[in-house]
């Protein structure tokens, strides 16, 4: 079942790229296995999936220890500063840097481990009170501050769009993210790249791709729905 779901998601990504005249190679699928057991993730692995996202440090580490070493782990959920030490060196990309203080904690730990950590800046593009992420008008100054940290490399932006019944309702926000990313790119800030735009989930990833997403994070569409109360 997982293999079929995965194939279907890849097919829908391909079609969305085609509609937007984009090369499907520009879009990376991140299989979000949160709350699901490693056995289920292994079905996706066996079907060829190598990039997995988790939103909790403990769960990522637990699965990392149980799955093959060539899995690439992405930390996509809110990261607390006291968990930074555990995640550095385990996640290929941290999608959820949203404060300078968190970036400083990553910088300190990465310096100790002599690593350069790739990160995305999480933007609360819908300006929802309940959501993490930097306010859109704070992002540029935050990135300027982070750009002087030698052990962090900002590679782009991430957002969790609001849940909407109709994915079209998020198109405007995805387009706003793309514009924000282009505006930051034009600043040519040292040590900062804007190559990655992580946006779009099961409900709206096709619209996100049409508006320029380079990473889509799909959970339910691959692994099925999660228990109530466990969703994000
Ligand atoms: C859970 C989660 C996803 C995937 O959500 P689905 O709607 O199940 O595809 C994507 N991104 C983040 C940050 C998440 O926490």
């Amino acid at each position: 079942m997982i293999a079929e779901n995965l194939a279907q998601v890849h097919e829908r990504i391909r079609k969305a790229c085609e509609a937007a005249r984009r090369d499907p190679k520009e879009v990376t699928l991140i299989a979000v296995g949160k709350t699901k057991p490693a056995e289920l993730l292994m079905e996706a692995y066996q079907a060829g999936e190598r990039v997995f996202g988790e939103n909790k440090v403990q769960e990522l580490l637990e699965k990392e220890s149980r799955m093959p070493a060539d899995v690439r782990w992405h930390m996509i959920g809110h990261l607390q500063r006291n968990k930074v030490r555990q995640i550095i060196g385990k996640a290929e990309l941290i999608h959820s840097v949203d404060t300078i203080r968190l970036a400083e904690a990553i910088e300190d730990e990465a310096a100790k481990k002599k690593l350069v950590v790739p990160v995305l800046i999480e933007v609360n593009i819908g300006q929802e009170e309940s959501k993490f992420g930097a306010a859109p008008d704070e992002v540029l100054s935050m990135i300027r501050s982070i750009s002087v940290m030698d052990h962090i490399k900002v590679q782009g932006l991430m957002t969790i769009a609001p849940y909407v019944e109709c994915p079209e309702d998020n198109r405007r926000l995805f387009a706003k993210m793309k514009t924000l990313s282009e505006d930051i790119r034009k600043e040519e800030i040292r040590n900062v790249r804007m190559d990655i735009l992580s946006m779009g989930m099961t409900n709206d990833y096709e619209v996100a791709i049409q508006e320029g997403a380079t990473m889509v994070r799909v959970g339910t569409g691959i692994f099925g729905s999660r228990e109530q109360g466990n969703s994000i």
Side-chain angles (χ1 to χ4, degrees):
M1 190 198 62
I2 302 294
E4 280 143 48
N5 291 347
L6 197 55
Q8 197 189 32
V9 172
H10 277 294
E11 178 58 14
R12 285 172 59 179
I13 291 173
R14 197 189 60 74
K15 287 214 175 104
C17 285
E18 198 172 80
R21 296 199 169 78
R22 295 185 58 197
D23 183 346
K25 288 197 199 77
E26 288 174 20
V27 180
T28 303
L29 171 64
I30 298 170
V32 179
K34 65 185 183 196
T35 78
K36 302 293 185 183
E39 290 70 34
L40 211 60
L41 275 63
M42 277 308 292
E43 286 189 37
Y45 180 90
Q46 258 126 28
E49 179 62 34
R50 290 295 178 274
V51 189
F52 289 83
E54 289 291 334
N55 72 333
K56 294 203 168 78
V57 170
Q58 225 45 55
E59 195 171 344
L60 187 153
L61 296 177
E62 205 248 346
K63 288 174 179 168
E64 193 261 351
S65 71
R66 298 183 55 199
M67 287 181 61
D70 63 342
V71 170
R72 292 148 56 196
W73 295 98
H74 285 223
M75 176 59 194
I76 61 173
H78 179 63
L79 180 58
Q80 289 167 300
R81 282 179 296 139
N82 62 5
K83 300 269 173 70
V84 164
R85 191 170 45 79
Q86 295 167 276
I87 200 78
I88 300 288
K90 299 285 188 184
E92 162 179 275
L93 183 64
I94 298 172
H95 290 231
S96 45
V97 173
D98 61 352
T99 62
I100 293 170
R101 288 181 74 198
L102 174 60
E104 281 167 349
I106 294 171
E107 168 65 17
D108 288 350
E109 199 52 40
K112 277 186 212 155
K113 292 192 170 131
K114 298 192 167 58
L115 292 172
V116 176
V117 177
V119 306
L120 306 179
I121 305 302
E122 180 173 351
V123 183
N124 183 358
I125 198 73
Q127 313 239 41
E128 292 172 278
E129 290 211 358
S130 59
K131 287 256 171 81
F132 293 107
D137 60 357
E138 290 172 350
V139 174
L140 180 58
S141 74
M142 183 181 296
I143 288 179
R144 282 194 198 286
S145 305
I146 296 174
S147 71
V148 302
M149 302 179 191
D150 288 330
H151 301 85
I152 295 188
K153 189 150 184 65
V154 176
Q155 303 214 308
L157 305 178
M158 176 273 220
T159 198
I160 304 174
Y163 180 81
V164 288
E165 286 292 325
C166 171
E168 281 300 325
D169 294 347
N170 278 336
R171 185 179 293 278
R172 185 184 55 87
L173 291 179
F174 292 140
K176 247 177 108 177
M177 284 293 290
K178 174 73 177 174
T179 304
L180 183 59
S181 141
E182 291 300 325
D183 289 349
I184 295 167
R185 191 203 304 276
K186 283 185 202 128
E187 300 287 321
E188 295 186 1
I189 304 166
R190 168 202 160 266
N191 197 29
V192 170
R193 297 175 68 155
M194 281 290 132
D195 299 338
I196 300 177
L197 203 45
S198 168
M199 59 187 193
M201 311 185 359
T202 296
N203 196 40
D204 55 16
Y205 65 91
E206 286 145 303
V207 175
I209 288 170
Q210 287 163 17
E211 297 303 325
T214 70
M215 281 184 182
V216 292
R217 310 177 308 264
V218 178
T220 315
I222 299 171
F223 299 109
S225 64
R226 293 175 292 271
E227 300 300 311
Q228 285 268 309
N230 247 338
S231 55
I232 287 192

